[in-house]
Amino acid sequence: MSYPYQIRSMEEYEKAYKDSISHPDKFWSSVAEHFRWKKKWNRVLEWNFKEPRVRWFDGAKLNITENCIDRHLEKLGDKPAIIWEPNNPEERVRVVTYNRLHKRVCQFAQVLKNNGVKKGDRVCIYMGMVPELAYAILGCARIGAIHSVIFGGFSAQSIADRLYDAEAEYIVTSDGAYRGGKDIPLKSVIDDALIGNRTVKKVIVYTRTRTPVSMLKGRDVWWEDEMEYAETQVEKEGIVSFPAEEMDAEDPLFILYTSGSTGKPKGVVHSSAGYMVWTTYSFVNVFQYNPGDIHFCTADIGWITGHSYIIYGPLSAGATSVMFEGIPTWPDAGRFWDIVDKHKVNILYTAPTAIRSLMGFGLGPLKGKDLSSLKILGTVGEPINEEAWHWYDENVGKKKCPVVDTWWQTETGGILISNLAGVTPARPSWATLPMPGVQPVLVDENGKEVTQKDEHGLLNGNLCIKAPWPSIIRTTYGDHDRCRQNYFAAYPNLYFTGDGAWKDDKGNFRITGRVDDVLNVSGHRIGTAEVENAINMHTGVVESAVVGYPHDVKGQGIYAYVVYGHIHGDEEMTRRDILQTVTRVIGAIAKPDKIQFVKGLPKTRSGKIMRRILRKIAEGETSNLGDTTALLDPGVVEEIKQGKL
Ligand code: WTA
């Protein structure tokens, strides 16, 4: 398989970009025609950002799994689709060919059907990084069920909230998951999430760790038994064929929950056709994928990066995707390099936080590892500092591999701003140029396009996008107005990203980070309001304010100022109790790094917390706090400064 839409030079990029803006219909038709459709579209694009309403390839019929699997079988049937590297390096690697993937996905689709799952039903998936997770995701897509994958680090309470929000009736999980030296008891977390739940009908449990689990008769079934039964049912000539459900272009493919600046996480909904076209197109172009290359994205499939660049994008391109169960530092900090060496990885796509954490171990873990297979390196999830960029470039890429800095979001479905490896120029810590079809614009607080350069000769503003690309968010599940308010109401006729950015004369973008109350901790998005709500649930807490502060490895750390009524025991114990409450309510990923007990929070006369001041103090700035005259009680600031951790 080659890719007729692959951009091979700067000139081709410029032409593609121009064509995509001046004739979007023609441009995207010519890309989309290289996919497998059950019926072609009537119209390429119809949209307004007011409602918002965005429809790509309207009238078309397809099933994304036919594009990710069936269409490759003839030529690539025996080629690896997924190479699975287990947590324990001593355990056997599993190579899943396209033929095998087809068989397993069809089999699992049959299992879902046998258990009553129908098109449009929501299936929550809570598993570790095992090939069965891919079968579960694609099995859902095969029968047209909407999957909602939940990252293994979320607590029972978070799962319960997501089950409720998505009105999910089915769960796929496993007894446990291996991550480094730990076993995570997934099924028992699910059991806690299901206490009092009356909507979930079936829980399918895959056996991975064989930790003892409770299995409720009538509700809980074993994956292995169900798969075996499905195999006897529909096996034909060695291959199980389960017909791919015919989906409308705009039928929802999945829900993925993500944090925003207010309230509870939102269920971002992506559609079938647009998401497929964009993840494939961006995968091939950003990473300059060539048939036969081994692609290793280190993300967890519980996040959008794993959805788009371990599963859907690579598989739709007929690529070989490495899936890693473990963590970068176990059994030692050379694990990524061992995997690159062992599987002859050509493309490595990881997060700045992982790079910074590995930098901390020095060059020792890289010694003796053959990284010569590497051709392209990528980063995603947060701004990459220049030091980490250069370390990656020099010590991993040996200065021979283009580094792509890919900016995008859960809501964008795929990469929107990035250099194209070796094709358009890289620049340390700059995401650089927009992909064809993407029209970024920087605006000021009033939504006016920024035209005045700042003291560095750059434009600086809030990053918005002017028109839809195929994988733009379609809605937030169950509450369309929330989608409008969050992304399309801040500035009329623009999609607002929540990020700030700089732009230079050549049209390059540098993302500066979130401008709203969303933190980016180790590349994970966490809303400050969510963490505050969790802390406030702890007994004795009167109120709290959470801000981010620069953290050497995580990018941002979580700093919580807590007003406490009565300290139970000592302060240190109370801190640990609060962390336990946050872990229960959200999950360990949201635990504050620092908790400072304070008598009061800096508030304006109208009662608004002045976070700007708290942010500065957390960052270590104590003298230049800006205007504090609006404060009700300036005295609290002094006290907070004194007590800074
Ligand atoms: C941040 C992850 C700078 C940004 C794919 C965005 C980045 C948020 C980059 C989305 C990058 C992502 N440079 N910042 N290359 N990539 N971000 O939804 O703040 O988990 O809004 O999607 O991560 O995080 P999300």
Side-chain angles (χ1 to χ4, degrees):
M1 182 163 169
S2 65
Y3 313 102
Y5 44 80
Q6 188 158 5
I7 296 165
R8 298 283 192 180
S9 66
M10 189 67 189
E11 295 68 46
E12 282 182 26
Y13 163 75
E14 278 166 354
K15 178 163 187 322
Y17 190 82
K18 228 168 91 209
D19 291 350
S20 72
I21 306 303
S22 53
H23 299 102
D25 286 19
K26 192 163 153 233
F27 183 84
W28 290 110
S29 284
S30 74
V31 173
E33 99 198 353
H34 301 286
F35 290 78
R36 184 181 282 190
W37 302 92
K38 289 176 187 282
K39 176 180 171 286
K40 286 254 172 97
W41 50 93
N42 304 326
R43 196 164 170 186
V44 175
L45 172 63
E46 190 199 327
W47 68 286
N48 73 67
F49 275 173
K50 207 158 166 254
E51 294 176 58
R53 176 182 155 90
V54 178
R55 298 183 75 80
W56 278 93
F57 309 110
D58 212 10
K61 307 265 186 203
L62 77 156
N63 185 290
I64 196 168
T65 69
E66 286 193 333
N67 285 274
C68 289
I69 309 173
D70 304 55
R71 67 165 162 158
H72 307 312
L73 294 180
E74 199 183 315
K75 287 205 181 121
L76 303 175
D78 295 325
K79 286 264 152 52
I82 296 172
I83 297 177
W84 178 73
E85 170 71 20
N87 180 58
N88 181 348
E90 315 271 289
E91 198 183 325
R92 190 174 54 89
V93 166
R94 287 165 64 188
V95 176
V96 183
T97 62
Y98 274 95
N99 278 333
R100 163 77 37 157
L101 183 65
H102 180 253
K103 180 173 164 145
R104 291 288 176 248
V105 168
C106 287
Q107 217 175 326
F108 192 68
Q110 183 66 40
V111 167
L112 290 170
K113 187 175 170 193
N114 291 345
N115 280 281
V117 181
K118 295 181 303 299
K119 178 177 177 173
D121 287 348
R122 276 79 50 216
V123 179
C124 159
I125 303 177
Y126 188 66
M127 296 175 89
M129 289 280 285
V130 286
E132 285 70 18
L133 167 57
Y135 308 159
I137 288 175
L138 293 164
C140 286
R142 188 88 176 169
I143 71 165
I146 301 168
H147 57 76
S148 164
V149 181
I150 301 179
F151 175 63
F154 281 114
S155 69
Q157 182 63 55
S158 292
I159 297 169
D161 291 345
R162 285 158 170 76
L163 286 171
Y164 176 78
D165 187 82
E167 302 159 293
E169 291 175 327
Y170 304 93
I171 296 177
V172 187
T173 187
S174 63
D175 50 358
Y178 294 125
R179 271 177 69 78
K182 289 192 203 141
D183 292 2
I184 322 250
L186 298 179
K187 172 63 164 64
S188 107
V189 178
I190 289 287
D191 289 337
D192 287 346
L194 289 181
I195 292 171
N197 177 298
R198 288 167 190 276
T199 49
V200 169
K201 295 179 184 155
K202 280 284 164 71
V203 182
I204 302 172
V205 185
Y206 171 70
T207 308
R208 172 67 184 127
T209 55
R210 207 54 195 100
T211 15
V213 293
S214 122
M215 293 289 284
L216 283 194
K217 195 185 286 169
R219 186 193 73 185
D220 301 348
V221 296
W222 293 111
W223 169 291
E224 294 75 14
D225 295 350
E226 296 297 305
M227 285 293 262
E228 205 176 305
Y229 179 68
E231 194 160 21
T232 59
Q233 260 179 315
V234 284
E235 189 155 31
K236 274 194 225 145
E237 299 149 19
I239 290 187
V240 180
S241 63
F242 185 94
E245 185 73 35
E246 186 170 286
M247 305 297 286
D248 284 338
E250 283 295 328
D251 275 341
L253 175 64
F254 65 84
I255 305 172
L256 189 58
Y257 284 86
T258 191
S259 295
S261 49
T262 51
K264 295 217 167 198
K266 301 178 284 279
V268 172
V269 177
H270 280 291
S271 73
S272 302
Y275 178 80
M276 168 182 81
V277 169
W278 189 265
T279 50
T280 317
Y281 180 81
S282 56
F283 171 72
V284 164
N285 280 301
V286 170
F287 301 105
Q288 288 293 303
Y289 187 84
N290 288 312
D293 284 348
I294 313 279
H295 171 78
F296 176 23
C297 167
T298 70
D300 191 286
I301 292 175
W303 308 109
I304 191 69
T305 307
H307 282 61
S308 300
Y309 299 109
I310 298 179
I311 305 279
Y312 287 113
L315 296 180
S316 166
T320 298
S321 184
V322 174
M323 181 175 175
F324 174 40
E325 187 184 31
I327 57 170
T329 49
W330 195 84
D332 60 51
R335 192 64 197 277
F336 277 180
W337 324 130
D338 285 329
I339 296 173
V340 169
D341 190 342
K342 181 166 165 190
H343 300 294
K344 302 290 163 244
V345 169
N346 305 114
I347 304 167
L348 176 65
Y349 189 30
T350 193
T353 189
I355 298 170
R356 286 190 301 262
S357 131
L358 294 175
M359 266 169 78
F361 291 89
L363 296 178
L366 281 150
K367 273 219 184 85
K369 310 289 160 73
D370 179 4
L371 305 184
S372 61
S373 57
L374 285 174
K375 295 198 286 195
I376 283 147
L377 304 178
T379 71
V380 59
E382 48 178 320
I384 180 160
N385 48 314
E386 294 202 19
E387 194 192 355
W389 195 98
H390 286 295
W391 189 89
Y392 196 34
D393 179 40
E394 283 161 28
N395 301 301
V396 181
K398 317 284 182 203
K399 292 199 146 197
K400 285 188 316 220
C401 305
V403 179
V404 289
D405 178 352
T406 66
W407 174 85
W408 58 296
Q409 313 178 291
T410 305
E411 295 86 346
T412 71
I415 299 165
L416 294 198
I417 303 181
S418 173
N419 49 318
L420 311 182
V423 170
T424 66
R427 184 162 160 196
S429 84
W430 285 67
T432 75
L433 298 169
M435 297 284 294
V438 177
Q439 301 183 57
V441 53
L442 299 181
V443 302
D444 63 18
E445 259 132 57
N446 305 315
K448 264 192 60 198
E449 189 161 345
V450 178
T451 48
Q452 284 285 329
K453 290 182 188 159
D454 66 6
E455 68 273 25
H456 309 287
L458 301 168
L459 300 174
N460 183 352
N462 292 343
L463 179 62
C464 294
I465 319 271
K466 274 189 199 167
W469 59 98
S471 62
I472 188 174
I473 178 177
R474 294 304 196 273
T475 189
T476 44
Y477 190 83
D479 190 350
H480 191 62
D481 199 53
R482 204 166 166 212
C483 174
R484 184 187 65 77
Q485 283 192 13
N486 263 286
Y487 308 104
F488 301 92
Y491 309 112
N493 296 318
L494 294 174
Y495 165 81
F496 177 43
T497 64
D499 280 319
W502 278 326
K503 184 182 175 185
D504 74 4
D505 286 342
K506 298 202 179 88
N508 290 301
F509 287 86
R510 178 181 184 154
I511 312 300
T512 49
R514 303 289 303 196
V515 294
D516 53 8
D517 290 321
V518 173
L519 305 180
N520 194 325
V521 181
S522 300
H524 300 156
R525 261 166 79 168
I526 299 171
T528 53
E530 254 179 279
V531 183
E532 287 165 7
N533 288 344
I535 294 174
N536 295 350
M537 283 170 78
H538 189 78
T539 186
V541 170
V542 178
E543 62 176 338
S544 63
V546 166
V547 296
Y549 71 99
H551 188 287
D552 285 348
V553 173
K554 298 180 181 183
Q556 270 189 311
I558 305 180
Y559 197 115
Y561 299 90
V562 177
V563 181
Y564 207 82
H566 165 70
I567 298 281
H568 187 75
D570 59 32
E571 275 200 2
E572 197 38 47
M573 199 61 223
T574 304
R575 264 194 199 99
R576 293 195 343 231
D577 291 343
I578 292 175
L579 294 182
Q580 198 58 29
T581 298
V582 174
T583 305
R584 277 252 169 240
V585 178
I586 306 176
I589 54 169
K591 278 198 300 199
D593 299 274
K594 294 183 179 178
I595 295 176
Q596 179 182 347
F597 294 110
V598 296
K599 292 214 181 72
L601 296 169
K603 287 189 185 169
T604 61
R605 284 183 191 89
S606 59
K608 222 179 130 222
I609 297 172
M610 287 187 77
R611 291 164 182 285
R612 178 175 53 81
I613 294 176
L614 294 174
R615 229 176 274 132
K616 285 211 158 159
I617 296 174
E619 282 165 9
E621 170 95 55
T622 47
S623 47
N624 188 14
L625 293 180
D627 186 10
T628 54
T629 50
L631 284 177
L632 185 61
D633 174 10
V636 299
V637 175
E638 238 0 86
E639 185 237 313
I640 292 173
K641 275 187 348 197
Q642 301 296 327
K644 184 184 177 297
L645 299 173

